[in-house]
Amino acid sequence: MADAKPLYDTYNRAPMLFERGEGVWLETQGGERYLDFAAGIAVNSLGHAHPHLVEALKGQAEKLWHLSNIHEIPGQTRLAERLAAVTFADKVFFTNSGAEALECAIKTARRHFYVNGQPERFRIITMEGAFHGRTLATIAAGGQAKYLEGFGPKVEGFDQVPFGDLEAIKAAVSDETAAILVEPVQGEGGVRPLPKEFLRALRELCNDQGILLILDEVQSGVGRTGKLFAHEWAGITPDLMAIAKGIGGGFPFGACLSTREAADGMTVGTHGTTYGGNPLAMAVGNAVLDVILEDSFLAHVNDIALVLSQGLASLKDRYPALIEDIRGTGLLLGIKCAKSNMDLVMAMRNEHLLAVPAGDNVVRLLPPLIVTAEEARDALSRIEAALDMLSSKDTQTDRMQ
Ligand SMILES: *Cc1c(COP(=O)(O)O)cnc(C)c1O
């Protein structure tokens, strides 16, 4: 009876009703506990109800909720300075979401060439399997037919090439190209990391051609892969970068980071937002950074990533009929399934472990970065139980045939 509900029918919602969360755990109204390895799709980077974030949000809520961007906003300059200090960026624009951060990056790139006497350079090269959001421009950038269908003419100016195909990218660069836009690790596309050498080659190509490199680190950023940003593994820097998800720890916000040069067209009045960089968001973002920038934090992410990836590799050896491959970096891990990925997500849900399906028949594991080794091992035994259940089901069907 979907029609009886006043909400849009755009989501196929899971039946559990969650009421509260703590750390890596979610609890339903009925008091059932689930181990949350979905983390709101890489959003709850510090888990649920992290005391430092709760305190930051409550503290700000008692002072000031909202101010127009015609004023200096508490926390905005500080967060921008801190982000600039730990990245390639000189300039930051705050948004409410990942897609808006991408929109800002796209506009910044186009505008850069516009003010530098090359207005014809507005096209952006993207890769198959990409996901950059659900606005009209970002569905055009992502290029996936299932998200474009029925929404009118595709926004002009995006050229798509096959995943990981450097020659195709080189061939696609023209006099009208402004930028190349990629995710260092495709998230929705099936946890597909771009090799380090590939990212280095892209950086070199952009330098040679005088075009901009835009990275979408909305999912892979803010500690998720064991570095503050995934591109650091390749030892390169982009000209522009979109972030969101993990930086808010559950409070909705994103940011577009830029070099001074790339942002040279973004002068007074060229872009804006009512809510972006809101005081509440900035208080939480600064609190997230307090924790993620602590000395041992990323080492912890890498330690747990090792526990998980080794455990998953051994499950792959023991269940070759169900697992084809384990992929990903840090705590952005994917189980490439031999059978249906949805069946595995459901079987894991049965074991009270939450994960997210992704493209290419993959199950994504994105635990909060504060997950402990014990909780990682707990998740592994739940995954094993789910695999056991699926393989005994398979044996039964074989017998019936
Ligand atoms: C989630 C995501 C987006 C879109 O973010 P929204 O906040 O949903 O707009 C863009 N790019 C990547 C890589 C993402 O994972």
Side-chain angles (χ1 to χ4, degrees):
M1 280 294 289
D3 289 343
K5 292 190 190 148
L7 288 171
Y8 266 40
D9 298 311
T10 47
Y11 298 107
N12 200 355
R13 295 181 200 262
M16 305 84 84
L17 279 176
F18 291 115
E19 193 169 55
R20 64 182 72 238
E22 193 183 346
V24 182
W25 297 90
L26 276 172
E27 197 177 310
T28 66
Q29 280 181 350
E32 288 187 66
R33 279 157 62 83
Y34 284 73
L35 196 47
D36 183 10
F37 271 45
I41 314 193
V43 165
N44 300 102
S45 47
L46 301 183
H48 302 279
H50 190 288
H52 187 57
L53 303 198
V54 172
E55 190 190 300
L57 184 60
K58 277 187 175 166
Q60 187 59 48
E62 284 165 5
K63 290 191 229 161
L64 181 63
W65 285 25
H66 180 77
L67 254 186
S68 159
N69 270 305
I70 62 172
H71 301 287
E72 290 234 3
I73 291 183
Q76 226 182 73
T77 311
R78 176 157 182 258
L79 186 53
E81 277 170 1
R82 295 175 83 192
L83 286 171
V86 294
T87 65
F88 68 96
D90 309 303
K91 297 291 220 178
V92 181
F93 185 92
F94 290 108
T95 67
N96 308 292
S97 66
E100 284 169 282
L102 264 309
E103 290 267 348
C104 180
I106 294 163
K107 287 178 76 174
T108 303
R110 288 182 171 184
R111 185 82 188 165
H112 166 72
F113 287 101
Y114 177 82
V115 298
N116 283 284
Q118 289 181 288
E120 72 285 357
R121 277 199 186 272
F122 70 95
R123 306 193 69 82
I124 293 175
I125 297 170
T126 66
M127 249 167 4
E128 275 171 17
F131 182 80
H132 299 300
R134 301 291 202 116
T135 61
L136 287 168
T138 55
I139 56 175
Q144 298 199 37
K146 65 179 174 185
Y147 298 139
L148 284 160
E149 187 184 352
F151 295 117
K154 190 176 145 198
V155 170
E156 171 65 356
F158 296 94
D159 300 310
Q160 198 154 58
V161 299
F163 179 81
D165 187 340
L166 189 62
E167 291 313 308
I169 292 184
K170 285 182 179 165
V173 175
S174 77
D175 298 345
E176 295 185 346
T177 304
I180 298 170
L181 162 62
V182 297
E183 296 153 86
V185 184
Q186 280 193 352
E188 310 292 320
V191 191
R192 296 198 291 180
L194 285 171
K196 291 175 196 170
E197 315 79 66
F198 186 90
L199 285 169
R200 290 183 198 129
L202 278 190
R203 180 66 271 177
E204 217 170 289
L205 177 66
C206 287
N207 292 350
D208 290 348
Q209 299 287 330
I211 57 181
L212 302 175
L213 179 61
I214 309 175
L215 294 181
D216 178 348
E217 292 233 27
V218 169
Q219 193 158 153
S220 60
V222 198
R224 176 60 50 192
T225 68
K227 293 269 191 199
L228 192 54
F229 293 101
H231 65 261
E232 293 171 29
W233 288 109
I236 59 142
T237 58
D239 302 288
L240 285 156
M241 174 168 75
I243 68 171
K245 294 198 164 113
I247 187 66
F251 199 95
F253 90 92
C256 174
L257 281 65
S258 178
T259 61
R260 187 173 313 283
E261 192 189 358
D264 58 3
M266 302 307 274
T267 47
V268 172
T270 50
H271 193 48
T273 162
T274 298
Y275 291 119
N278 167 293
L280 296 170
M282 296 300 97
V284 178
N286 273 304
V288 168
L289 271 197
D290 290 343
V291 178
I292 298 218
L293 295 180
E294 272 170 22
D295 268 351
S296 54
F297 192 85
L298 293 177
H300 168 80
V301 172
N302 287 303
D303 287 349
I304 305 296
L306 193 65
V307 172
L308 266 181
S309 56
Q310 285 180 343
L312 291 171
S314 108
L315 289 175
K316 171 184 174 258
D317 291 342
R318 282 162 46 213
Y319 298 90
L322 292 171
I323 301 181
E324 241 173 57
D325 194 18
I326 303 299
R327 28 164 103 154
T329 318
L331 294 178
L332 175 46
L333 291 168
I335 304 171
K336 161 92 171 152
C337 298
K339 306 263 166 68
S340 149
N341 61 342
M342 270 321 288
D343 285 357
L344 181 55
V345 168
M346 291 301 175
M348 282 160 63
R349 188 187 286 172
N350 241 9
E351 302 298 328
H352 284 205
L353 173 66
L354 302 181
V356 209
D360 203 24
N361 207 28
V362 164
V363 174
R364 247 180 307 173
L365 300 174
L366 310 149
L369 307 179
I370 48 123
V371 60
T372 63
E374 195 187 338
E375 287 159 340
R377 282 189 285 271
D378 186 344
L380 287 166
S381 51
R382 287 167 200 253
I383 297 170
E384 180 171 2
L387 291 165
D388 257 346
M389 199 278 285
L390 289 177
S391 50
S392 65
K393 227 186 205 169
D394 279 352
T395 339
Q396 280 168 14
T397 353
D398 286 350
R399 263 193 233 124
M400 287 186 321
Q401 279 162 358

